[in-house]
PDB file of all heavy atoms in Angstrom:
ATOM      1  N   LEU A  86     -19.435 102.362-145.185  1.00 93.00           N
ATOM      2  CA  LEU A  86     -19.002 103.528-145.955  1.00 93.00           C
ATOM      3  C   LEU A  86     -20.166 104.456-146.235  1.00 93.00           C
ATOM      4  O   LEU A  86     -21.308 104.013-146.453  1.00 93.00           O
ATOM      5  CB  LEU A  86     -18.373 103.079-147.275  1.00 93.00           C
ATOM      6  CG  LEU A  86     -17.202 102.090-147.172  1.00 93.00           C
ATOM      7  CD1 LEU A  86     -16.751 101.676-148.571  1.00 93.00           C
ATOM      8  CD2 LEU A  86     -16.041 102.680-146.390  1.00 93.00           C
ATOM      9  N   PHE A 195     -30.219  85.692-159.366  1.00 88.00           N
ATOM     10  CA  PHE A 195     -31.290  84.872-158.799  1.00 88.00           C
ATOM     11  C   PHE A 195     -32.190  85.714-157.913  1.00 88.00           C
ATOM     12  O   PHE A 195     -31.705  86.379-156.995  1.00 88.00           O
ATOM     13  CB  PHE A 195     -30.703  83.747-157.933  1.00 88.00           C
ATOM     14  CG  PHE A 195     -29.702  82.866-158.610  1.00 88.00           C
ATOM     15  CD1 PHE A 195     -28.351  83.120-158.496  1.00 88.00           C
ATOM     16  CD2 PHE A 195     -30.102  81.772-159.369  1.00 88.00           C
ATOM     17  CE1 PHE A 195     -27.408  82.316-159.103  1.00 88.00           C
ATOM     18  CE2 PHE A 195     -29.180  80.953-159.974  1.00 88.00           C
ATOM     19  CZ  PHE A 195     -27.824  81.220-159.850  1.00 88.00           C
ATOM     20  N   SER A 263     -41.205  70.685-157.207  1.00 85.00           N
ATOM     21  CA  SER A 263     -41.080  70.194-158.589  1.00 85.00           C
ATOM     22  C   SER A 263     -39.632  69.990-158.984  1.00 85.00           C
ATOM     23  O   SER A 263     -39.340  69.390-160.021  1.00 85.00           O
ATOM     24  CB  SER A 263     -41.736  71.181-159.559  1.00 85.00           C
ATOM     25  OG  SER A 263     -41.090  72.443-159.463  1.00 85.00           O
ATOM     26  N   TYR A 265     -35.463  69.182-157.278  1.00 92.00           N
ATOM     27  CA  TYR A 265     -34.624  68.829-156.146  1.00 92.00           C
ATOM     28  C   TYR A 265     -33.202  68.714-156.638  1.00 92.00           C
ATOM     29  O   TYR A 265     -32.924  68.088-157.680  1.00 92.00           O
ATOM     30  CB  TYR A 265     -35.069  67.509-155.515  1.00 92.00           C
ATOM     31  CG  TYR A 265     -34.487  67.298-154.143  1.00 92.00           C
ATOM     32  CD1 TYR A 265     -35.082  67.871-153.024  1.00 92.00           C
ATOM     33  CD2 TYR A 265     -33.325  66.549-153.954  1.00 92.00           C
ATOM     34  CE1 TYR A 265     -34.556  67.696-151.745  1.00 92.00           C
ATOM     35  CE2 TYR A 265     -32.778  66.378-152.695  1.00 92.00           C
ATOM     36  CZ  TYR A 265     -33.401  66.957-151.594  1.00 92.00           C
ATOM     37  OH  TYR A 265     -32.865  66.792-150.341  1.00 92.00           O
ATOM     38  N   GLY A 349     -36.608  62.839-136.423  1.00 95.00           N
ATOM     39  CA  GLY A 349     -36.979  61.462-136.122  1.00 95.00           C
ATOM     40  C   GLY A 349     -37.868  60.839-137.180  1.00 95.00           C
ATOM     41  O   GLY A 349     -37.610  59.722-137.656  1.00 95.00           O
ATOM     42  N   ARG A 373     -31.572  47.156-138.578  1.00 94.00           N
ATOM     43  CA  ARG A 373     -31.384  48.605-138.486  1.00 94.00           C
ATOM     44  C   ARG A 373     -32.074  49.178-137.257  1.00 94.00           C
ATOM     45  O   ARG A 373     -31.538  50.019-136.550  1.00 94.00           O
ATOM     46  CB  ARG A 373     -31.908  49.301-139.747  1.00 94.00           C
ATOM     47  CG  ARG A 373     -31.073  49.012-141.002  1.00 94.00           C
ATOM     48  CD  ARG A 373     -31.600  49.821-142.178  1.00 94.00           C
ATOM     49  NE  ARG A 373     -30.820  49.577-143.380  1.00 94.00           N
ATOM     50  CZ  ARG A 373     -30.803  50.383-144.430  1.00 94.00           C
ATOM     51  NH1 ARG A 373     -31.544  51.492-144.412  1.00 94.00           N
ATOM     52  NH2 ARG A 373     -30.087  50.104-145.486  1.00 94.00           N
ATOM     53  N   MET A 393     -35.373  68.324-124.505  1.00 95.00           N
ATOM     54  CA  MET A 393     -34.086  68.296-125.217  1.00 95.00           C
ATOM     55  C   MET A 393     -34.164  69.145-126.473  1.00 95.00           C
ATOM     56  O   MET A 393     -33.268  69.946-126.771  1.00 95.00           O
ATOM     57  CB  MET A 393     -33.709  66.872-125.574  1.00 95.00           C
ATOM     58  CG  MET A 393     -32.395  66.771-126.351  1.00 95.00           C
ATOM     59  SD  MET A 393     -32.072  65.112-127.012  1.00 95.00           S
ATOM     60  CE  MET A 393     -33.200  65.075-128.421  1.00 95.00           C
ATOM     61  N   ILE A 554       4.980  37.755-133.135  1.00 92.00           N
ATOM     62  CA  ILE A 554       3.900  38.520-133.742  1.00 92.00           C
ATOM     63  C   ILE A 554       4.236  40.014-133.775  1.00 92.00           C
ATOM     64  O   ILE A 554       4.484  40.641-132.739  1.00 92.00           O
ATOM     65  CB  ILE A 554       2.567  38.280-133.008  1.00 92.00           C
ATOM     66  CG1 ILE A 554       2.127  36.837-133.186  1.00 92.00           C
ATOM     67  CG2 ILE A 554       1.486  39.223-133.526  1.00 92.00           C
ATOM     68  CD1 ILE A 554       1.960  36.403-134.636  1.00 92.00           C
ATOM     69  N   ILE A 562      -1.035  35.686-141.308  1.00 93.00           N
ATOM     70  CA  ILE A 562      -1.790  34.752-140.473  1.00 93.00           C
ATOM     71  C   ILE A 562      -3.285  35.042-140.585  1.00 93.00           C
ATOM     72  O   ILE A 562      -4.109  34.115-140.690  1.00 93.00           O
ATOM     73  CB  ILE A 562      -1.325  34.846-139.020  1.00 93.00           C
ATOM     74  CG1 ILE A 562       0.121  34.326-138.894  1.00 93.00           C
ATOM     75  CG2 ILE A 562      -2.235  34.039-138.103  1.00 93.00           C
ATOM     76  CD1 ILE A 562       0.721  34.493-137.512  1.00 93.00           C
ATOM     77  N   GLY A 622     -47.082  48.695-146.143  1.00 81.00           N
ATOM     78  CA  GLY A 622     -47.954  49.812-146.452  1.00 81.00           C
ATOM     79  C   GLY A 622     -49.298  49.377-146.938  1.00 81.00           C
ATOM     80  O   GLY A 622     -49.879  49.993-147.836  1.00 81.00           O
TER      81      GLY A 622
END
Side-chain angles (χ1 to χ4, degrees):
L86 304 176
F195 305 96
S263 60
Y265 196 83
R373 290 185 180 199
M393 179 189 76
I554 294 302
I562 293 175

